[in-house]
Amino acid sequence: MRASIPTTFYLLLLLYTTTTTTTTVATPPRSAKQTAMAESPSSPSASTLDPHQLRALQFLHIPTTQDPCTTSTCDNDTPFRHLLTLRLTDCPSDHRLSTTTLSTLSTLTSITFFNCHIPIIHFPSSLTTNLHSFTSINSLQRLTGVFLSHFHNLNHLYISGDPIKASGIHIITSNMKSLKTITLYNTHLTGYLPKDWNPKLTHIDFSKNKLKGSIPTSLTLLKNLKVLNFSSNNLIGVLPNSLGALTSLKMLSLSSNSLSGPIPGSISSISGLIHLDLGSNQFNGVIPEFISEMKELKYLSLENNKFHGVLPFNASFIKKLDVFKINGNFDLCYKHSISLEELHLGIGRCDKHGMPILPPPAMNTPSSSWVDVGGGGDENGGDDDVVEKNNQVHVNRGPNKVVLGVAIALSAMVFIIIFLVLLFIC
């Protein structure tokens, strides 16, 4: 099996290879300075940026010695052009936004805050209407669901590391009819998953929050969904049987919840699945064989669950994966194979009944030891009790004969001395 790759890196890579719209919101900035960033090179034009927007950039401490439209996305209006994208990065501690400044920049369609720890203010309606992409990474303070719900025309919403005060996700997304991708990562969100979803969604990431309840069946109606990540929440219940209807899915991550039940057989219909993470839940039953037939699969984690039976994967399937995790399933075992033993899977071999062979106890246990069956007989004499269990022999060793003789002799001497003392007194 090839070297493991970090999950977060894989998620970002998958997002960039599967979404059709390129944005700059999901990656850290390349410069520590605040700059107005372009998503693509702007077309050449003799006109310069609107003077009012130039003053707004200066108020935001963004250099304007060079025409921002030479490096940023601007429209082609005459006589003055207008900014379409803006990125604020590593804002100074005394940095403040103003409604007046934002009104001047109401032509923006994309705004990104990265590492700008500033309080939010009222966004003018002209700006909230124009914005198609809104990103805040470790930045805006005191975010609320009501504030975010005002951005009706968003295609992309990305919040990471900023707590959001909201009574549920529904209040944020209910009016976003054009939303395609949404990431609310580590935002302290509580409540339940919504039952109504925008059918245009291709990317959903609500990982590392405090969401509870079960996964609604209505989620499986999202035919265009490519990424689904609900990991590190408090979700319970079983997976919908119709989960296989998400035939466009490339990544499914539900790890670190309290989900239970078997893996639905319908998942076999998701032939293009690359990343499947069901680790650290309470899934049970046998692991379905169809997983080994998923040709595109590169990341598979089923660790720390309650699966039982025989592992249905051979060494060739496991070795083609970039990441494979199966440890922590104590009733799961694999059929004896030298090639599988070399992979150090973290589960035991199966005995002839298909049950895991118990591992030996710690080597520093003085009273007993485990010996494999077929070792050629008892090497410890006839004083040991031998019990066979799961094709292994448990040898109970008796006390050392010399030590036992000395103990008996000392006991006899003490008895005689006590007897003589009593006799003398009498």
Side-chain angles (χ1 to χ4, degrees):
M1 184 171 56
R2 295 189 289 274
S4 174
I5 57 177
T7 302
T8 52
F9 172 80
Y10 190 85
L11 172 58
L12 293 176
L13 177 62
L14 180 60
L15 174 59
Y16 274 96
T17 56
T18 57
T19 53
T20 57
T21 303
T22 303
T23 66
T24 59
V25 299
T27 56
R30 296 181 180 180
S31 172
K33 299 179 180 179
Q34 298 184 82
T35 55
M37 298 297 293
E39 294 178 358
S40 60
S42 57
S43 57
S45 174
S47 61
T48 58
L49 191 66
D50 185 302
H52 298 291
Q53 291 198 343
L54 277 174
R55 285 194 292 271
L57 295 182
Q58 292 168 356
F59 177 80
L60 295 173
H61 306 289
I62 295 176
T64 57
T65 53
Q66 183 182 7
D67 181 9
C69 288
T70 61
T71 57
S72 303
T73 302
C74 297
D75 61 23
N76 292 319
D77 286 356
T78 56
F80 299 112
R81 306 176 69 186
H82 303 88
L83 283 171
L84 298 179
T85 61
L86 177 67
R87 182 194 294 267
L88 300 177
T89 303
D90 294 328
C91 305
S93 57
D94 59 346
H95 192 91
R96 291 293 182 272
L97 290 176
S98 73
T99 303
T100 302
T101 301
L102 293 176
S103 297
T104 305
L105 299 172
S106 60
T107 58
L108 292 173
T109 60
S110 174
I111 188 168
T112 298
F113 300 91
F114 188 93
N115 204 24
C116 287
H117 303 285
I118 54 179
I120 62 171
I121 63 168
H122 175 71
F123 274 48
S125 59
S126 56
L127 180 58
T128 58
T129 301
N130 283 341
L131 279 178
H132 293 161
S133 177
F134 183 89
T135 300
S136 178
I137 303 175
N138 299 324
S139 293
L140 298 182
Q141 302 171 14
R142 297 190 291 276
L143 276 175
T144 66
V146 173
F147 169 81
L148 294 172
S149 68
H150 292 154
F151 300 103
H152 297 166
N153 295 322
L154 287 185
N155 300 132
H156 310 284
L157 175 61
Y158 190 106
I159 310 292
S160 174
D162 298 333
I164 301 174
K165 184 179 181 181
S167 57
I169 296 174
H170 179 74
I171 193 172
I172 300 173
T173 61
S174 59
N175 292 323
M176 297 179 180
K177 305 304 181 183
S178 302
L179 196 62
K180 293 182 179 179
T181 71
I182 178 171
T183 295
L184 303 176
Y185 168 79
N186 190 24
T187 59
H188 300 182
L189 277 173
T190 59
Y192 298 88
L193 292 171
K195 294 183 179 180
D196 298 323
W197 304 85
N198 190 317
K200 297 180 181 180
L201 281 168
T202 62
H203 178 111
I204 300 175
D205 185 349
F206 296 154
S207 56
K208 202 173 182 182
N209 284 291
K210 301 177 182 178
L211 300 174
K212 57 185 178 180
S214 58
I215 297 176
T217 305
S218 58
L219 184 69
T220 62
L221 299 176
L222 303 180
K223 304 299 183 181
N224 299 317
L225 194 64
K226 293 180 173 64
V227 174
L228 179 60
N229 188 352
F230 291 157
S231 61
S232 300
N233 278 282
N234 300 317
L235 300 178
I236 60 173
V238 300
L239 297 183
N241 289 327
S242 56
L243 196 63
L246 300 175
T247 53
S248 299
L249 208 59
K250 302 295 182 183
M251 173 183 179
L252 176 61
S253 181
L254 304 173
S255 62
S256 301
N257 282 283
S258 296
L259 298 167
S260 58
I263 298 177
S266 64
I267 290 183
S268 61
S269 301
I270 313 177
S271 57
L273 197 62
I274 299 174
H275 181 116
L276 177 59
D277 189 352
L278 304 179
S280 300
N281 278 283
Q282 299 178 26
F283 289 113
N284 52 44
V286 297
I287 297 176
E289 295 184 11
F290 68 74
I291 293 180
S292 62
E293 300 173 1
M294 304 180 81
K295 305 300 183 182
E296 304 298 323
L297 201 62
K298 294 298 180 183
Y299 185 110
L300 177 60
S301 175
L302 303 173
E303 65 178 348
N304 299 324
N305 279 287
K306 297 181 179 179
F307 293 114
H308 64 80
V310 180
L311 185 69
F313 307 145
N314 56 33
S316 60
F317 167 75
I318 296 174
K319 288 180 179 179
K320 85 177 184 66
L321 298 172
D322 292 328
V323 175
F324 178 62
K325 301 177 182 179
I326 196 65
N327 57 290
N329 292 281
F330 301 111
D331 293 326
L332 188 68
C333 59
Y334 65 91
K335 292 182 179 179
H336 177 65
S337 167
I338 295 177
S339 55
L340 282 177
E341 285 184 347
E342 292 174 348
L343 296 178
H344 305 291
L345 300 177
I347 58 175
R349 286 195 296 115
C350 300
D351 62 15
K352 62 182 179 181
H353 304 293
M355 299 296 292
I357 297 177
L358 298 179
M363 295 299 293
N364 59 354
T365 304
S367 60
S368 64
S369 64
W370 289 89
V371 182
D372 290 335
V373 171
D378 185 5
E379 300 177 353
N380 300 289
D383 295 331
D384 297 334
D385 295 328
V386 181
V387 180
E388 182 175 343
K389 184 179 181 180
N390 291 336
N391 288 342
Q392 294 181 341
V393 177
H394 188 198
V395 183
N396 297 318
R397 304 190 186 281
N400 186 282
K401 294 181 180 180
V402 176
V403 175
L404 183 61
V406 172
I408 294 174
L410 290 175
S411 299
M413 292 177 61
V414 172
F415 177 79
I416 293 173
I417 292 173
I418 295 174
F419 177 79
L420 293 176
V421 171
L422 293 175
L423 183 63
F424 177 80
I425 294 175
C426 293

